[in-house]
Amino acid sequence: MKVPKHIAIIMDGNGRWAKSRGLPRTMGHLEGSKRFREIVKESLNLGIKALTAFAFSTENWARSKKEVDFLFNNMAGFVKTYKKELIANGAKFNFIGRRDRLPQFLVGELEKLEAETYPNKKFILNVALDYGGRWDIVEAAKKIAVDYKNNKIKKENIDELLFSDYLSLSGICPPDLLIRTSGEKRISNFLLWDLAYAEFYFTDIHWPDFKKSQLHLAVEEYSKRDRRFGRDA
Ligand code: IPE
Ligand code: IPE
Ligand code: MG
């Protein structure tokens, strides 16, 4: 079976999952982190090489302070207990997104995890936090402007390849497959540049119900897709 090298996941539907059970939204996030752990593990088992997960968007600040605080506290606690497993699996952790607005205790934990997993090569795990695809592109443009001003690059050398080097996922092959759970059929400002040629897979299953078997279904569907990249059929 043709397995994607890199999958991107919009882990959506935690709130609806909780609501349907009469639980507070936060319980959906808690259950969602368990699935995240399982899906990373299963991705490794399937021979997938990289996974990029959307955990908090630049737009998610619009939620209640109670929910946002819960998410950050839960993530910081999660990182601490998850570290050992990630290292044992030979995974390298990368945090993509703005680092200037998140609470320091969380950024500190994430940066420690990045440093401790830095040499690992078997698998790359990117987590997008306070991330927006538009922000990513604007940041790249700003960095290019600085390098241009400092004579590090010439205008004629700015092309798609060089531009992508300035993005958060530089050096990583772009996602082959995007999975979005919970029925919404939109990108919600995730990896705008990198998803240019990804295959999209949407499922009505809420993220806390997205178990191993659901990942298998997504990969199976991907394996049947005919990726043409503009060629004739
Ligand atoms: C995804 O689930 C998690 C985050 C966006 C942080 P949601 O919290 O968006 O759940 P729904 O979409 O409201 O059900
Ligand atoms: C996208 O989900 C962001 C994450 C999963 C982290 P949202 O629930 O925020 O997206 P919208 O609001 O439905 O577009
Ligand atoms: Mg949502």
Side-chain angles (χ1 to χ4, degrees):
M1 190 167 66
K2 195 176 67 180
V3 172
K5 276 204 190 81
H6 182 178
I7 57 173
I9 309 186
I10 301 177
M11 307 180 291
D12 197 17
N14 293 351
R16 279 165 280 176
W17 179 89
K19 197 178 170 200
S20 72
R21 284 164 175 75
L23 297 167
R25 293 177 60 82
T26 48
M27 288 303 104
H29 297 314
L30 198 63
E31 193 62 22
S33 19
K34 294 184 194 158
R35 290 301 93 65
F36 172 78
R37 200 172 188 147
E38 279 173 35
I39 293 303
V40 171
K41 196 163 169 225
E42 193 56 15
S43 299
L44 266 143
N45 290 341
L46 289 174
I48 292 163
K49 298 289 176 205
L51 188 155
T52 302
F54 207 4
F56 192 86
S57 76
T58 48
E59 288 72 36
N60 286 146
W61 291 103
R63 299 188 177 198
S64 75
K65 182 166 161 27
K66 191 173 150 248
E67 182 172 350
V68 171
D69 285 349
F70 179 90
L71 282 166
F72 296 155
N73 284 319
N74 183 42
M75 283 173 204
F78 180 79
V79 167
K80 282 188 206 158
T81 60
Y82 188 46
K83 192 173 283 189
K84 252 196 185 153
E85 185 176 326
L86 214 51
I87 294 172
N89 285 328
K92 175 179 173 164
F93 175 80
N94 254 325
F95 150 38
I96 65 168
R98 290 185 62 160
R99 296 188 184 210
D100 58 329
R101 302 193 294 192
L102 293 168
Q104 261 316 304
F105 68 85
L106 177 58
V107 175
E109 286 302 330
L110 296 167
E111 289 183 345
K112 265 196 274 174
L113 187 60
E114 281 185 326
E116 284 171 56
T117 61
Y118 187 74
N120 296 349
K121 295 217 159 54
K122 205 173 152 208
F123 188 79
I124 300 175
L125 175 62
N126 304 302
V127 174
L129 256 175
D130 200 3
Y131 178 88
R134 288 178 176 168
W135 165 83
D136 202 355
I137 293 169
V138 169
E139 280 304 293
K142 282 195 219 163
K143 289 179 194 147
I144 289 171
V146 171
D147 282 356
Y148 173 75
K149 196 167 162 237
N150 295 332
N151 291 318
K152 284 198 186 149
I153 51 171
K154 293 195 181 102
K155 185 181 161 221
E156 52 272 28
N157 292 339
I158 303 175
D159 58 10
E160 292 177 13
L161 198 64
L162 180 134
F163 198 95
S164 65
D165 271 348
Y166 286 83
L167 290 163
S168 296
L169 292 185
S170 75
I172 301 168
C173 65
D176 302 294
L177 171 66
L178 169 79
I179 297 171
R180 182 170 188 148
T181 57
S182 214
E184 253 47 80
K185 291 171 187 70
R186 52 180 173 255
I187 297 190
S188 299
N189 197 18
F190 197 23
L191 304 158
L192 298 180
W193 174 285
D194 317 77
L195 293 173
Y197 251 111
E199 294 296 325
F200 285 26
Y201 178 85
F202 298 105
T203 170
D204 288 338
I205 302 277
H206 298 312
W207 176 250
D209 284 330
F210 195 86
K211 303 222 166 132
K212 276 196 322 199
S213 57
Q214 295 296 327
L215 180 67
H216 294 168
L217 287 178
V219 170
E220 206 178 297
E221 158 90 27
Y222 168 85
S223 73
K224 293 183 200 142
R225 300 270 178 98
D226 177 19
R227 302 186 77 188
R228 286 197 290 280
F229 299 100
R231 291 188 303 260
D232 53 0

